[in-house]
Amino acid sequence: MKIVEETRTKLQLKHQPLRYWFIGWCIFTVCLNFLIYCLVFEPASVQITCDRLSSNQINCDFRRFNLLGSMEKVKMFDPQEAYILTKTGSKGGKTYQVVIVTTFRDFALLSHVSYQENQEVTLKINEFINSGQTSLLVQQNQRHYLFFLSLFIFIMMAIATFFITSPVTTCTFYKSIDKVFLERKSLRGNQVIEHPLENIMSFDIQEKQFKYSKLYRAVIVLKYFKEIPINPQYTDERSIRYAVSRIHSFLKF
């Protein structure tokens, strides 16, 4: 919060929620990049079709589909075996993924499918490799997982948008008309709060403990102990204490 104008009859303060804007844009940018990754690069389903050309030659098409419907097709020659790769997260959670080993490289299937489904796919692939079957069709789907993940990302982006559109507050004290005006402007709309100076009982500084520090806001205390924050968003202590001291000096509290 800073003093914009101070005369004998007028005191104007302005608060820009820079911290909230920064946090909002950071969250929004991260979520947007993650959403693009989920929609474009993370496969929503895979399909493997194989044909046995001879007893020792198998050719397969490995297709990946994303949520937007795009398809990536890769040739897979002479699969040797399939196994389940278990991954353990930092919090102990486990995910399972089928990996197909070929002569040239390994092919990983979907990473958010149940162990039981992965087991069925693994058995089906290995049975085809070790038997005389002439064709194979295998499919996996994780669209539900990506749908709920995308929904969560949209919710986070909405919260980020709320931070980004935090209002700029202008507080003006007029001795000439004996009033105080609080104007809040944002993309969500404008709000003007007006009170006579005689209704002001005092000014309070409220603090709030965040993870690593305390932040503060200035509050107008009216009659009947009604409180109106000058800056709804908490900010640094120094600017708030200086602003309240200037208000006290201006109104001679």
Side-chain angles (χ1 to χ4, degrees):
M1 185 183 296
K2 62 180 181 179
I3 308 297
V4 176
E5 183 181 352
E6 185 174 5
T7 65
R8 187 174 59 85
T9 60
K10 178 183 176 182
L11 175 65
Q12 189 174 72
L13 305 93
K14 191 173 186 178
H15 173 69
Q16 293 179 308
L18 300 178
R19 181 172 175 269
Y20 278 60
W21 292 346
F22 176 77
I23 292 173
W25 276 115
C26 287
I27 295 174
F28 190 88
T29 303
V30 171
C31 288
L32 181 61
N33 289 332
F34 197 34
L35 181 64
I36 292 172
Y37 174 80
C38 289
L39 293 176
V40 178
F41 299 105
E42 180 72 11
S45 62
V46 295
Q47 182 185 78
I48 300 172
T49 55
C50 297
D51 292 309
R52 189 184 299 274
L53 304 181
S54 64
S55 59
N56 58 355
Q57 184 179 2
I58 300 173
N59 289 351
C60 302
D61 289 331
F62 183 36
R63 295 180 176 88
R64 296 187 184 94
F65 302 87
N66 63 22
L67 280 178
L68 299 179
S70 297
M71 186 262 289
E72 176 191 9
K73 181 179 176 181
V74 181
K75 286 290 185 180
M76 187 168 62
F77 300 102
D78 297 328
Q80 305 296 306
E81 66 167 335
Y83 68 93
I84 298 176
L85 176 65
T86 302
K87 298 179 181 179
T88 303
S90 58
K91 295 183 178 180
K94 293 184 178 181
T95 58
Y96 307 95
Q97 190 173 24
V98 175
V99 177
I100 302 175
V101 180
T102 71
T103 307
F104 302 102
R105 54 171 286 197
D106 294 348
F107 292 83
L109 276 61
L110 301 182
S111 56
H112 296 280
V113 178
S114 68
Y115 181 83
Q116 181 180 359
E117 185 176 341
N118 279 326
Q119 194 174 37
E120 291 174 358
V121 168
T122 302
L123 291 173
K124 190 173 182 180
I125 294 172
N126 286 330
E127 183 181 356
F128 170 76
I129 293 172
N130 299 319
S131 69
Q133 296 177 20
T134 57
S135 62
L136 171 71
L137 173 62
V138 171
Q139 293 176 313
Q140 277 192 332
N141 192 315
Q142 60 180 16
R143 291 182 181 276
H144 284 91
Y145 165 78
L146 290 179
F147 172 77
F148 285 111
L149 180 60
S150 300
L151 181 61
F152 173 75
I153 295 173
F154 276 120
I155 293 172
M156 292 301 297
M157 291 176 71
I159 295 173
T161 302
F162 181 82
F163 276 83
I164 292 170
T165 58
S166 295
V168 175
T169 299
T170 303
C171 180
T172 310
F173 297 89
Y174 292 100
K175 283 184 178 178
S176 56
I177 57 176
D178 191 36
K179 286 188 177 182
V180 57
F181 291 89
L182 272 170
E183 185 177 10
R184 309 196 198 280
K185 288 184 176 182
S186 74
L187 295 176
R188 289 178 261 155
N190 300 334
Q191 180 188 27
V192 178
I193 302 171
E194 173 186 343
H195 283 283
L197 293 179
E198 62 185 19
N199 285 354
I200 299 175
M201 294 180 60
S202 62
F203 294 90
D204 189 19
I205 297 177
Q206 296 178 344
E207 66 178 46
K208 189 173 184 180
Q209 180 68 50
F210 287 84
K211 189 171 183 180
Y212 297 110
S213 63
K214 288 183 180 180
L215 295 177
Y216 301 80
R217 70 178 182 180
V219 176
I220 301 174
V221 182
L222 302 173
K223 290 181 178 178
Y224 308 108
F225 300 100
K226 180 181 179 181
E227 295 182 347
I228 302 177
I230 296 177
N231 54 306
Q233 306 85 13
Y234 289 81
T235 186
D236 65 288
E237 180 181 11
R238 183 178 178 182
S239 66
I240 294 300
R241 293 199 181 279
Y242 177 74
V244 172
S245 69
R246 296 310 307 154
I247 295 171
H248 283 162
S249 176
F250 177 76
L251 297 178
K252 294 180 171 54
F253 264 77

